Amino acid sequence: MRIAYVSLSTPLLRKSWSGIPWYSLRELQRRFPDTHVIDTPGADKLVERLAVAERFGAIVRRHWIVSRYYRSVINAELERLQPDVVFGVAAAHKLALIDPKWPFVYAADALHGTIINYYDKYLRMSDRSKTQGEELQRRLLERTDRILLGSRWAADEAVNRYGLPAGRVEVAPMGANLDDDPGFSAPSVSRPLTLLFIGYAWERKGGPLILDIWRALRRRQPDVELHVVGAHPKAAEGLPGITLHGQLNKTDPVDYQRFVELYRQSHFFIMPSRQEAYGIVYCEAAAFGRPVIAKTTGGVETIVADDRTGLLFPTQATPEDYAERILALWNDPQRYQTMCREARLAYEERLNWQSWGAIAQRAIEDVCVDQRAAAL
């Protein structure tokens, strides 16, 4: 079976869109060796340069002119490839207007209307841009045979917002972006309670709240540690008990080993994001068997089960609320170790790219069967 693969950004670079195109492509190629990438680096680069317009409320990526250009490039490649199925990953603006004759499976963390009404960064988006984006999203959905979304939240939103038949939408959790399974190593409870944060968008991902939680914990247990990777918040500089590690490149063997060591030395992964459509890093925490501390928002509940694989908190929870539950769990070693094992089990059963690939494969095969039946 021949697959044409198109993604939001190039799947040939591991850093593209948190690594999702890279890992999803490799999983599809493992299952369907005759998978071909339709890459559009020139157009992508131009669109990124024009993204400065987002400061003024215009989303260039969803403009009709941009989508028509992508249509011409991608249609030409599809005619050359003659695929059995087109598989798109979060590339609505590239695929919304392509020739509808091709069977089509679309995967994303969430759809346009869900995202723009959720993330603060889209609050200044103009009504015109919102309308254009919605029109393109609906054009895409009209010609999509199967839609795979990362969370139950995103799937329910898609069905309710766009009136999609439930049978066309399926929850397909994405996996941890790790080349090798790190294996499970039970954390040592003999060393100080250690929190780990990995991320760049410090404000959105709850950074200031993390510092307040750490302070609340330190008032009760003075040796609590916090390790921060990626972000470099000035408010945390020089604070005893906090270590800022800067950026770590997982493709660099030295950095990757440091990344692994930080997880193995930690007891909790903490990232109480204000908005999080999915959160690949929560899957990585599960791979190491570390409970997650997060907010109940967006797609997080598909990844983290409260009181089973982590601790989820409502938006209005205070730092003291967080500290109380964290210490109650930490001071019950048997319950804590059980949660670590449950987190690892969630990774083994659901939060890996092989599990995502099984859902994607079934969707592709079902679409092909339906296509053949329709042709009879």
Side-chain angles (χ1 to χ4, degrees), residues 3-16:
I3 311 295
Y5 177 99
V6 183
S7 57
L8 170 68
S9 51
T10 180
L12 306 180
L13 296 175
R14 200 183 307 240
K15 65 181 181 180
S16 292

Side-chain angles (χ1 to χ4, degrees), residues 34-266:
D34 197 13
T35 294
H36 300 261
V37 174
I38 298 180
D39 205 11
T40 54
D44 294 351
K45 191 171 183 179
L46 177 60
V47 168
E48 287 303 316
R49 285 179 178 172
L50 295 174
V52 67
E54 292 185 8
R55 299 177 188 173
F56 308 101
I59 306 300
V60 174
R61 183 178 287 124
R62 298 270 178 166
H63 196 283
W64 287 104
I65 294 175
V66 172
S67 289
R68 289 184 183 116
Y69 175 73
Y70 277 117
R71 175 183 61 187
S72 65
V73 173
I74 292 172
N75 274 345
E77 283 297 292
L78 291 175
E79 289 297 336
R80 182 182 66 82
L81 288 170
Q82 294 293 308
D84 297 292
V85 175
V86 176
F87 194 97
V89 175
H93 62 298
K94 297 182 180 182
L95 295 166
L97 305 180
I98 64 169
D99 193 326
K101 71 181 180 180
W102 308 105
F104 182 32
V105 177
Y106 183 71
D109 53 354
L111 299 183
H112 177 264
T114 302
I115 294 297
I116 64 166
N117 289 291
Y118 177 59
Y119 280 94
D120 288 346
K121 68 179 181 178
Y122 295 120
L123 289 176
R124 64 166 65 98
M125 181 189 290
S126 69
D127 289 341
R128 181 179 180 182
S129 286
K130 287 182 180 180
T131 299
Q132 281 188 164
E134 281 292 86
E135 289 176 357
L136 278 173
Q137 183 69 88
R138 291 182 185 277
R139 288 285 294 271
L140 179 94
L141 298 175
E142 286 171 3
R143 49 98 58 249
T144 305
D145 298 288
R146 196 65 54 87
I147 302 159
L148 308 180
L149 296 172
S151 68
R152 172 52 55 193
W153 167 77
D156 289 345
E157 278 273 318
V159 170
N160 295 332
R161 183 178 296 276
Y162 295 101
L164 298 170
R168 277 177 60 200
V169 181
E170 189 168 359
V171 178
M174 293 172 281
N177 288 346
L178 301 170
D179 288 339
D180 300 303
D181 184 342
F184 175 65
S185 176
S188 170
V189 295
S190 62
R191 60 186 309 277
L193 171 58
T194 302
L195 308 177
L196 175 64
F197 169 87
I198 299 176
Y200 296 100
W202 176 253
E203 296 289 331
R204 177 175 65 81
K205 292 181 180 290
L209 175 59
I210 292 172
L211 293 183
D212 288 340
I213 294 167
W214 171 78
R215 291 186 181 100
L217 288 167
R218 295 270 288 196
R219 285 193 289 269
R220 305 183 190 195
Q221 201 161 304
D223 60 352
V224 175
E225 297 179 8
L226 170 62
H227 293 260
V228 176
V229 175
H232 193 99
K234 290 188 178 297
E237 291 179 355
L239 294 179
I242 297 182
T243 305
L244 304 179
H245 297 271
Q247 298 184 20
L248 295 180
N249 180 359
K250 287 189 288 185
T251 64
D252 178 87
V254 175
D255 278 3
Y256 182 72
Q257 189 55 43
R258 183 61 184 145
F259 168 83
V260 170
E261 289 172 359
L262 285 169
Y263 261 116
R264 290 183 174 159
Q265 292 169 7
S266 70

